[in-house]
Structure formats: C-alpha cells, structure tokens
Amino acid sequence: MTDQTERVLPRPTPETVHFWEGTRTGELRLQKCDDCGKIYFPPRPFCPECGSRNVSTFAASGRATLYSYVISHIPAPGLGPPYSVAVVTLEEGPRLMTNIVGCDQTPEALTLDMPLEVTFEAQNDEITLPFFKPAA
Amino acid sequence: MARGTVAVVGAAETTEMGVIPETSELQLHADAALNAMAEAGLTAADIDGIAAAGEAPDVLAQYLGITPAWLDGTLIGGSSFMLHVRHAMAAIEAGLCTTVLITHGESGRSRVEAKGFPEFIGGKLAGQFEVPYGGSLPPTMFTIPVLRYLQTHGLRPEDMAPVSVVQREWAALNPRATFKDPITVNDVMNSRMVAYPFTLLMCCLRTDGGGALILTSADRANDFPRPPVYILGAGESAEGPMVSQLDDFISSKAFRLSGERAFAEAGISHDDVDHLMIYDAFAHVPLYGLEDLGFCKPGEAAAFVGDRNTAPGGSLPLNTNGGGLSYMHSGMYGMYAMQESIRQLRGIAPAQVPGAQVSVAHGVGGMFSVAGTIIFGNEPA
C-alpha cells in the first residue's frame, strides 16, 4: 500500500452500481423498503429490516450531521495527513463513512453534530466519491 | 450448555515472542501447537478437532499431521479464538470430537507470509464504502467511535491515558512483555499523534507470535499433566465488519450480547470475577468492555481505571500481561488474552493475582464490531 499514491477506489458490484451511477450525476442514493418503510445503507437488493425484495432507490437530501471522527496522521494512498475519517448521520437516518472537506482538519473545526452537506469529487470516469463539507 | 463440562488441558504461546523474522505465519501456528501438545502430553494422533484463524484449519491439520473429525475456520478478527473455544465446547458436548486444538500464529510485524483482512478490498462492502476514505487500518477504524463516547460522558482524551499507564505497570512485571519502562499520563498525551484523539501510546503494538489451546471433556481433564482450567460460560456476537454501521458509538451491542450470554451460562456475578482480560487494541476498548460487560456503569470506566482499581493491588486486576498495548499484539490478540487467563488460574502468571479462581477473557474483532467472551474457572462448578 505504501507504494500507492492514488486513493484506493471502490469496485462496484451489480448490487451497488446504482449508488456509484448516482454519485457521478450528483445524487447520493439511498434505498427504501416499499413494504416496511425502512431506509437503509449500504446498498443491497433487499430490506435488512424485514427481508423484502420490494425496495426502491431515491436521492437523499445530502444533509447530514457529524457523528464521530478521527484525524488521521497516517499516510494512506491518495490521502495526505492530517485528514479526517468521519462517520456522518444522514438526514434520512443511515450513517456512512466519509471525509470532511472544506475546513481545517482540526478538533476545533470539526465539532460533533455540526451540520454538513454532501459534495462530490470525481476520481476517474467511473468513480465519484461523496464527501461532506460544513453546511453553507 | 452446562457449565464446566469442557476444560483446557493444554495452553501455550510460541517459543519466541516479539520480532521473529525467521518464522512464517504458518510455522508460528505450528510452534504454538507443538508447545501446547507437549505440555498436555499429546501428539497429533490424539487430536480429532481443529480450529484456526488466519491460516485455514485444513491447512493446519495437514501441516501438523492431524486427521480431523471436526473443523472450525471462523475468522472474524481478534476474537476468533474465543468463538473457536465456544464452538469447540459445543462440539465436544455433542460428541462430534473429543480433543480440540485451537491455533493462532501471526507474523504481524515481520509479515512472513502474513494474511490481510479479507473484507477490506475493493469490491467488498467495506472496500467500497470505508476504505476509500482512509478507513482501511485499525487506527482509523477501531477508533472512530470514541469522540462520540467521550463527548456523551463529558470526558476528555486524556481520560483514556490511564489505561495505557496502568497496563505498562502490569507489563513491567512480565519478562516477556515488549515494553516494560514506566510511563505517565503526560508521556501518553505527548507521544506522537496517530489518529486524533489517539496518540501512539494509546495504540497496540505490532509484533509476531502465536498461541494454542487444547480442549477436552471435563471428565478427562484430570488425566493430563497440568491442572485443568474449566470453561464456565461463553458468548459471542457480531455487528461487523463495518464500523460505520454499528448500532451506536457509546456502547458495543456485540460486547453486551456476548458478555450477557457468557455470564448467564456461567451463573456467576461480577463479584465472583477475580481477574479480567479485555482485548485492548486501543486504549478505549477496555473502557467500553468494563461498561458493556457490566463491571462499570456507562461513562464510569475511565475513572474506575484512573482510580487504580484495575492496577496491581487493585480490586479488579485487568490485562495483567500488559495487554496489546505493552505485552504483544500480532493483529488478532484474543488468543493471548485467554493464555493469560489460563496462566492466572493455573497460578503461573508472571504477575500472579493471588488465589485467582475465576477469570473473564473478552475479545474484540472486526473493526470494533464483533465480540467473544469466555469465562474460565479452576473448578468445574
């Protein structure tokens, strides 16, 4: 890993490709069970709450709050220390891992529960990653 | 399962511990296994069940010359070996096999034919939804929940530092410990920042080593050279492997469920526990463990450690080998926690707790997302 200078990118699977198609077009896509109403992440073609395969995909608002994080000082491929590794709570409920961008990578600038909004950065033609920045 | 029906009759670590560049991961498993078989007075022909993590159990069976009637390759990270013990108990009680060997070996530092974490590659869910953000290493994953925990309980990062300080005190009593020099809270806080709020001295070591256990039914337990150590209760659970998807960050559901099952099966109370091991991959894990296993109320574990209750001479000796923070940590440390529990109950630990009769070993795995708990006793009931 140490000889790698590019960020390690996801390899979409048939069950997740809709998520990565979404990020390319500026949408953060979640899934919802059409039977029990559960909104969930990460993607899968069935409801983790009730087991129904009757699920649909929708675009999330992109609004979130900062649940917890670390500020890593460990060099990682494509990530220059210090960088935040964060878990955010989406307005719709699910949590996801991301990086907080657009602010200092310090404890003072990164306060728990701060409002955030999604921002997309293309990594190549196929993969666009969702990051979060302080809400305007 | 009935308490005390299965016993540990062999327990050993690798001959060397620390930096072992001349030995492959497979041979570390074998070295520990041979040591455990030797102290139990057994050979490969006497073993009919095998469990291993890292290396697959069939690989170990062939390498060691074992013909298994039962195999378990559960691989969920550092608590895999607690699960192996629990599964072996059930197998022995069910008559699937009579004598189980559980092995661990890991070239965590020298990386001689070492394995990685299989869930953290590109096409897996963790590979797609965590690794791209730097969530690819234990120091940036195990650690993510703690700021939420600290804020919820009105604690500061320095409140975690006594965990490292106290465990170094235990390590100083252990000749095999990697680090023995005393440290202070200031030393911990002033050590290099690894992943805020975690400094270097709040993070476990990376070393080479291994360990092995041999289990059989309690009715045979007195036929072996060493005093048996009985398994009084066991539990397991999992949320993992993705830390971002845990139920919440101030308490581990897997810890709670695993601990509750183990205590219920053992039929003991917390006051009965003489000695405790909680896998300390990072300084916060014993704090969550103390609370989620029921030894402390939520938010009170840091003060419990800070007040020296878990230190030498304290009421609840914890991580008496020095733990992953100071003794050794090859990557999946759960085996070493159980080895120390067994040494304590045999009365041969370097930092022996006088009269220890009941020991709890709690393992964490995944990325702070799975758990296994074993309660050992030196009497069957």
Side-chain angles (χ1 to χ4, degrees), chain B residues 227-240:
Chain B
V229 170
Y230 298 89
I231 299 160
L232 305 183
E236 64 189 270
S237 193
E239 293 188 81

Side-chain angles (χ1 to χ4, degrees), chain B residues 104-125:
Chain B
H104 169 57
E106 209 166 19
S107 187
R109 184 176 190 92
S110 304
R111 312 299 296 168
V112 186
E113 287 303 311
K115 308 292 185 293
F117 291 99
E119 289 309 311
F120 295 90
I121 58 173
K124 301 278 191 173
L125 287 176

Side-chain angles (χ1 to χ4, degrees), chain A residues 7-8 10-13 16 19-20 41 43 66-74 79 85 95 97 99 107 112-113 130, chain B residues 122-123 128-135 139-140 143-145 147-148 151 193-196 243-249:
Chain A
R7 200 184 273 260
V8 179
R11 292 203 305 270
T13 59
T16 67
F19 180 87
W20 300 111
F41 178 88
L66 181 55
Y67 187 51
S68 201
Y69 68 92
V70 294
I71 302 171
S72 178
H73 292 255
I74 307 166
L79 287 157
V85 185
R95 295 198 182 111
M97 188 174 284
N99 303 121
L112 299 195
D113 303 314
Chain B
Q128 292 187 63
F129 297 107
E130 292 192 339
V131 171
Y133 308 104
T140 56
T143 51
I144 286 189
L147 280 182
R148 173 60 58 178
Q151 173 161 310
M193 188 61 76
V194 173
Y196 172 85
V243 66
S244 63
Q245 301 305 310
L246 298 185
D247 249 22
D248 75 54
F249 277 10

Side-chain angles (χ1 to χ4, degrees), chain B residues 208-263:
Chain B
D208 306 323
L213 299 173
I214 297 172
L215 274 60
T216 193
S217 59
D219 54 21
R220 295 176 60 209
N222 288 309
D223 302 339
F224 296 87
R226 295 290 189 116
V229 170
Y230 298 89
I231 299 160
L232 305 183
E236 64 189 270
S237 193
E239 293 188 81
M242 295 173 72
V243 66
S244 63
Q245 301 305 310
L246 298 185
D247 249 22
D248 75 54
F249 277 10
I250 63 168
S251 167
S252 161
K253 181 170 80 174
F255 282 21
R256 294 194 307 274
L257 293 174
S258 178
E260 282 166 13
R261 287 178 183 131
F263 274 86

Side-chain angles (χ1 to χ4, degrees), chain B residues 59-186:
Chain B
V59 172
L60 260 297
Q62 184 171 58
Y63 194 59
L64 290 165
I66 289 166
T67 303
W70 176 89
L71 303 94
D72 181 9
T74 302
L75 172 57
I76 53 154
S79 52
S80 299
F81 316 100
M82 280 78 172
L83 274 64
H84 295 161
V85 167
R86 189 167 191 248
H87 302 172
M89 284 170 64
I92 291 167
E93 287 188 3
L96 304 183
C97 54
T98 66
T99 310
V100 171
L101 170 69
I102 302 170
T103 70
H104 169 57
E106 209 166 19
S107 187
R109 184 176 190 92
S110 304
R111 312 299 296 168
V112 186
E113 287 303 311
K115 308 292 185 293
F117 291 99
E119 289 309 311
F120 295 90
I121 58 173
K124 301 278 191 173
L125 287 176
Q128 292 187 63
F129 297 107
E130 292 192 339
V131 171
Y133 308 104
S136 55
L137 295 166
T140 56
M141 303 187 69
F142 250 83
T143 51
I144 286 189
V146 88
L147 280 182
R148 173 60 58 178
Y149 170 91
L150 294 175
Q151 173 161 310
T152 299
H153 295 305
L155 298 169
R156 302 158 302 167
E158 47 265 47
D159 294 319
M160 296 191 286
V163 173
S164 306
V165 172
V166 166
Q167 288 190 202
R168 184 61 64 85
E169 292 181 36
W170 285 113
L173 304 172
N174 181 358
R176 270 174 48 114
T178 302
F179 292 127
K180 304 185 193 66
D181 294 339
I183 53 173
T184 65
V185 168
N186 278 341

Side-chain angles (χ1 to χ4, degrees), chain B residues 275-287:
Chain B
H275 172 255
L276 178 60
M277 298 297 293
I278 299 174
Y279 183 160
D280 54 328
F282 298 89
H284 67 301
V285 184
L287 303 180

